[in-house]
Amino acid sequence: MSTRRAAIFDVDGTLVDTNHLHVVTWWEAFRQGGHHVPMREIHRAVGLGGHDLIEHLLGKDRDPEDDDQFVAAHHALYATYFDRLPALEAAGDLLRALAGRGWTIVLATSASGAELSALRRAIDADDVILGAASADDVADGKPAPDPVRQARKLADVASERAVFVGDTVWDMKAAVRDGVVPVAVLSGGIPRADLETAGAHAVYRDPVDLLGRLDSSVFADRE
């Protein structure tokens, strides 16, 4: 492993303001399949990979043969937003500021394919993003450590040389399990207490807040 440092970022809810779009489109996908799932429960499950989210919400005793139908319906509904996904304020500026301080920027997300491309267009910081560990690259999604570990491999860093920024309990658990420093933002709508209980080392309001406090953050401690 090299001596470089990696700043690993989740995308949905962390850099792009999409969590509630996922809630609505999953709700509609379930409704079309005859399941009425409360939106508050879907919100807490956002950040899991598609099949894990379905199992979390519908249970292990569901008919798993319907899973692909739900995933396809969600993707089709969510894809209608691809051309206007809203980056959170200062998301790209935050990545560029960290890159300017010598951090290698990598994404770790359950998104893949056209969805990930749309998210990266929204962030508009590909000039400083080394790469992304997507759902296609790992056997198990968050809260398993696989996505974070794959992102570290892309950056060629050991866990003690990496920080992972995310917005969900699943993000924090994945970071803890991989041994990287977990940092949380509140922009995904998950309560601070839940993120701290899941292992968040520090919690910031959003990318703007983190950018403004980099000098007092864990990112200032990894020289």
Side-chain angles (χ1 to χ4, degrees), residues 172-192:
M172 298 304 101
K173 288 182 175 181
V176 168
R177 289 170 182 175
D178 188 57
V180 304
V181 178
V183 170
V185 288
L186 298 172
S187 42
I190 300 302
R192 176 185 295 268

Side-chain angles (χ1 to χ4, degrees), residues 93-127:
D93 294 337
L94 172 60
L95 301 189
R96 290 190 179 91
L98 288 168
R101 291 169 176 241
W103 290 80
T104 299
I105 310 299
V106 188
L107 307 179
T109 173
S110 58
S112 62
E115 179 183 342
L116 179 55
S117 296
L119 290 164
R120 291 181 67 154
R121 285 195 301 273
I123 299 166
D124 192 25
D126 271 357
D127 52 307

